[in-house]
Amino acid sequence: MTRIIEKHEIAALLQDVDVIGAMEEGFRAYSAGQVLVPPVAEMLFDDPPGEVHIKYGCITGDDVYAVKIASGFPGNTGRGLPTGNGIVLLFDRATGAVKAVFLDEGLLTDIRTAAAGALAGRYFAPRAVRRIGICGAGTQGRLQLEQLKQVTDCRDVLIYDHHRENSGRFQREMTQKGYRVAAVEAPAEMAAACNLIVTATPATVPLFRQGDIKPGTHITAVGSDTPRKNELAPALLAEADRIAVDSMEQARYRGEVYRAVKEGVLDASRVRELGYLAGHPGERRGHADEITVADLTGVAVQDIQIAKAVFSRIDT
Amino acid sequence: MTRIIEKHEIAALLQDVDVIGAMEEGFRAYSAGQVLVPPVAEMLFDDPPGEVHIKYGCITGDDVYAVKIASGFPGNTGRGLPTGNGIVLLFDRATGAVKAVFLDEGLLTDIRTAAAGALAGRYFAPRAVRRIGICGAGTQGRLQLEQLKQVTDCRDVLIYDHHRENSGRFQREMTQKGYRVAAVEAPAEMAAACNLIVTATPATVPLFRQGDIKPGTHITAVGSDTPRKNELAPALLAEADRIAVDSMEQARYRGEVYRAVKEGVLDASRVRELGYLAGHPGERRGHADEITVADLTGVAVQDIQIAKAVFSRIDT
């Protein structure tokens, strides 16, 4: 029988799931070459504009495979709807039967993306997080901050958003959740005060440049998932002490590392995958004053892992 | 709200749908370049063997787009399950919201494939169908025969299957549905007696060769959906008077036309798309003694069209 799982049920089930652990296990399998992840399928629409991505794959030895259809329609904002939407499907690897339909409206993508950010934080964040900086006061900015609870006790936050009213809303909401939040007018202000920064914006002009970032800072960039988007200046990556990505394969086509390698300032051989770092703790943050960067574009193995994890909570 | 539609509901709703008409309209849009159909996404598994295809697309001007995930797991037969399975999803083109989840287990694919065969029959079948020949006594062979009710009154049938027991089962079942069915031991026997033939097999060695087919016969080949499969000898296509495909683009990579062109015996410029024939009745069957061939590999526009058609029956 196919299980149909609605968004509110998924949200409830997620309370009992170690998503960061599921991501770590998934990235480990991915970097070990144990995941079948064919190229992302996509549809790009013009009028009204929108994009649909289909990510799908299977971990070797698993009894399921997963397919996720995720969309982004900018016009939704004007309708009072979230930009992102989607659905995740889990199939029986032996028969092709549909085991589960997650009507998650993009929730699983949002959570798995934030959990990957937290995993990068676990590997790279400074031991003493002074203040957390979040660029982009959207859903992902909020979730990144919340997932970081698993990584640091720090609750002092600076928020930057291109639209000041978004920062205000973020400030009010996250204050209610126990954070001390102040808004800044420019990313550079954040860089001066925060040593753990997450960028979750659709920026096409870098938020941070070389020299903005102080020693001892970690930055996770999750906004740039297309070749055009760009949150961090290539020179910033060039000067970073350690750089991680979720997928070297995808970093060849999109994201911050793609930019920096393309511009000739970054040697791709310096970059490590999260799944590699899972098995090599010695290559995570070293000295306290290192500058580290994680550039995440999102991999199907994350969708497989979060779908499996939630499904396992139903089955038991 | 997302509508979840189970297989038995889909089967009931299909009773009131003109699937052949929906296919014709879809192929017409496809051949006119009004359909966004990105390349098929796929996963191929080894152990246990299986394949998953993801077909997706959108017709220009439509308010929906569709994604279909279809699978074939040969090992299902040993479990008493059909080889094929799948799910079809319909999304709001403006917002990305999931409008409908069709838990069809492959039924929509089976029906739309059979309906495309019937459409080819409508364009190419001889006016007086003497006897219908079906190669392949599986689900698709049965459905092709049933869809042909919309095209011809003929109820005299010869069945051929590599496994004789399958032919026997087909004979019993289709006799109960009002057909007069006899089984043959070899395709050549069928070619001698039938002037409307459908091949729906996974053959990799041609069932029919040049000279087997008598003048005035039409053959629709639907089994060959991979580069390796092959139901009709290339020389047979070379001698055919008219040849149609559903998609010229796909015929470049798979199917009977692909083979014949690759072997240098068929000039691709002689081949017409069904969507072209929809608007050019003068290029359908001409003289009574023409040999005609339709080679169908299956296009996402069919999935879009059948999903829309079934969904429209719910909405009203």
Side-chain angles (χ1 to χ4, degrees):
Chain A
M1 264 314 288
T2 302
R3 301 292 294 256
I4 310 291
I5 309 148
E6 304 211 23
K7 186 179 180 180
H8 65 93
E9 297 172 76
I10 296 167
L13 291 162
L14 277 168
Q15 302 296 328
D16 297 321
V17 171
D18 171 15
V19 186
I20 301 174
M23 292 305 107
E24 185 168 48
E25 188 192 327
F27 285 128
R28 194 190 286 263
Y30 177 78
S31 294
Q34 292 163 351
V35 186
L36 176 68
V37 181
V40 175
E42 67 181 3
M43 279 188 283
L44 304 177
F45 297 121
D46 279 334
D47 180 29
E51 51 186 61
V52 178
H53 291 102
I54 308 178
K55 293 186 174 182
Y56 53 107
C58 183
I59 300 177
T60 307
D62 268 7
D63 57 1
V64 291
Y65 59 92
V67 178
K68 179 183 78 173
I69 299 135
S71 59
F73 285 87
N76 284 1
T77 312
R79 299 168 185 251
L81 298 171
T83 310
N85 208 325
I87 188 170
V88 178
L89 308 163
L90 208 56
F91 297 85
D92 189 312
R93 165 66 184 82
T95 66
V98 187
K99 288 176 82 86
V101 176
F102 296 95
L103 297 169
D104 72 312
E105 299 173 23
L107 176 64
L108 291 173
T109 300
D110 288 342
I111 297 290
R112 63 79 153 155
T113 302
L119 181 65
R122 190 172 278 173
Y123 293 164
F124 276 164
R127 188 172 298 202
V129 176
R130 207 165 45 244
R131 208 165 206 180
I132 300 171
I134 303 285
C135 287
T139 301
Q140 190 53 219
R142 286 166 171 76
L143 293 174
Q144 289 281 343
L145 184 57
E146 294 194 80
Q147 287 288 325
L148 281 172
K149 274 188 186 165
Q150 314 282 328
V151 173
T152 173
D153 292 331
C154 178
R155 299 291 179 268
D156 291 302
V157 180
L158 293 186
I159 178 71
Y160 167 77
D161 196 283
H162 188 64
H163 299 285
R164 201 183 294 183
E165 62 275 23
N166 292 349
S167 293
R169 211 162 33 235
F170 181 100
Q171 201 175 355
R172 286 191 296 278
E173 286 179 28
M174 300 316 281
T175 298
Q176 286 185 346
K177 293 195 173 184
Y179 294 91
R180 290 172 292 278
V181 186
V184 295
E185 299 290 312
E189 289 180 57
M190 176 184 293
C194 300
N195 60 351
L196 175 56
I197 295 174
V198 180
T199 64
T201 74
T204 51
V205 173
L207 300 160
F208 296 106
R209 305 197 161 272
Q210 184 184 22
D212 285 348
I213 302 299
K214 291 170 71 174
T217 302
H218 170 70
I219 312 180
T220 295
V222 302
S224 176
D225 57 354
T226 71
R228 217 172 61 88
K229 293 183 192 165
N230 186 205
E231 298 186 288
L232 307 179
L236 193 164
L237 272 73
E239 77 171 1
D241 295 285
R242 298 176 193 270
I243 302 173
V245 295
D246 43 9
S247 159
M248 284 302 295
E249 175 60 24
Q250 286 186 193
R252 290 170 51 207
Y253 305 105
R254 54 189 83 199
E256 312 305 329
V257 165
Y258 156 77
R259 278 294 178 114
V261 169
K262 189 179 151 208
E263 295 196 6
V265 299
L266 177 66
D267 178 355
S269 71
R270 286 186 52 215
V271 180
R272 297 285 174 268
E273 286 188 342
L274 289 181
Y276 174 86
L277 294 175
H280 294 79
E283 298 202 32
R284 301 177 192 169
R285 170 168 290 272
H287 295 295
D289 58 358
E290 285 179 355
I291 290 177
T292 55
V293 173
D295 172 24
L296 309 180
T297 53
V299 190
V301 72
Q302 298 174 252
D303 303 311
I304 301 171
Q305 284 292 94
I306 196 167
K308 276 165 50 186
V310 172
F311 190 67
S312 73
R313 303 306 306 183
I314 307 174
D315 243 10
T316 50
Chain B
M1 266 314 289
T2 302
R3 301 292 295 256
I4 309 292
I5 309 147
E6 303 210 24
K7 186 178 180 178
H8 66 94
E9 297 172 74
I10 296 167
L13 291 163
L14 276 167
Q15 301 297 326
D16 297 321
V17 171
D18 171 16
V19 186
I20 301 174
M23 293 303 107
E24 185 168 47
E25 187 192 328
F27 285 127
R28 194 190 284 264
Y30 178 78
S31 294
Q34 292 162 350
V35 186
L36 176 68
V37 181
V40 176
E42 68 181 3
M43 279 188 283
L44 303 176
F45 296 121
D46 279 334
D47 179 30
E51 52 186 59
V52 179
H53 292 101
I54 308 178
K55 293 186 174 181
Y56 54 106
C58 183
I59 300 178
T60 306
D62 268 7
D63 58 1
V64 291
Y65 59 90
V67 177
K68 179 183 79 172
I69 299 132
S71 59
F73 284 88
N76 284 1
T77 311
R79 299 168 186 251
L81 298 171
T83 310
N85 207 325
I87 188 170
V88 178
L89 308 164
L90 209 55
F91 298 85
D92 188 312
R93 165 67 183 82
T95 67
V98 187
K99 289 175 81 85
V101 175
F102 296 96
L103 296 170
D104 71 313
E105 299 173 22
L107 176 64
L108 290 173
T109 300
D110 288 343
I111 298 290
R112 64 82 153 153
T113 302
L119 181 65
R122 188 171 282 174
Y123 293 163
F124 277 162
R127 188 172 299 202
V129 176
R130 207 165 45 246
R131 208 166 207 180
I132 300 170
I134 304 286
C135 288
T139 301
Q140 191 52 221
R142 286 166 170 76
L143 293 174
Q144 288 281 343
L145 184 56
E146 295 193 81
Q147 288 288 325
L148 281 172
K149 274 188 187 168
Q150 313 283 329
V151 174
T152 174
D153 292 331
C154 176
R155 298 291 180 267
D156 291 302
V157 180
L158 293 185
I159 177 72
Y160 167 77
D161 195 282
H162 188 64
H163 299 285
R164 200 183 295 184
E165 63 275 23
N166 292 349
S167 292
R169 209 160 35 233
F170 180 101
Q171 201 175 355
R172 285 190 297 279
E173 286 178 29
M174 301 316 281
T175 299
Q176 286 185 345
K177 294 196 173 184
Y179 295 91
R180 290 171 292 279
V181 186
V184 294
E185 301 290 314
E189 289 179 57
M190 178 185 293
C194 301
N195 60 349
L196 176 56
I197 294 175
V198 180
T199 63
T201 74
T204 51
V205 173
L207 300 160
F208 296 104
R209 306 199 159 270
Q210 183 184 22
D212 284 347
I213 301 299
K214 292 171 69 172
T217 301
H218 170 70
I219 313 179
T220 295
V222 301
S224 177
D225 57 355
T226 71
R228 215 171 62 87
K229 293 182 191 167
N230 187 206
E231 299 185 286
L232 307 179
L236 193 163
L237 272 74
E239 79 172 1
D241 295 284
R242 298 178 194 267
I243 301 172
V245 294
D246 43 9
S247 160
M248 283 302 295
E249 174 60 25
Q250 286 185 191
R252 291 169 52 206
Y253 304 106
R254 53 188 84 199
E256 312 305 330
V257 165
Y258 156 78
R259 277 294 177 112
V261 171
K262 189 179 152 207
E263 294 194 7
V265 300
L266 177 66
D267 178 354
S269 71
R270 288 186 52 217
V271 180
R272 297 284 175 267
E273 285 188 344
L274 290 180
Y276 173 87
L277 294 175
H280 295 78
E283 298 202 32
R284 301 177 191 168
R285 171 167 290 273
H287 296 294
D289 57 358
E290 285 180 353
I291 290 178
T292 55
V293 173
D295 172 25
L296 308 180
T297 53
V299 190
V301 72
Q302 298 173 252
D303 304 309
I304 301 171
Q305 284 292 95
I306 196 166
K308 275 165 53 186
V310 172
F311 190 67
S312 72
R313 305 305 307 183
I314 307 174
D315 242 10
T316 52

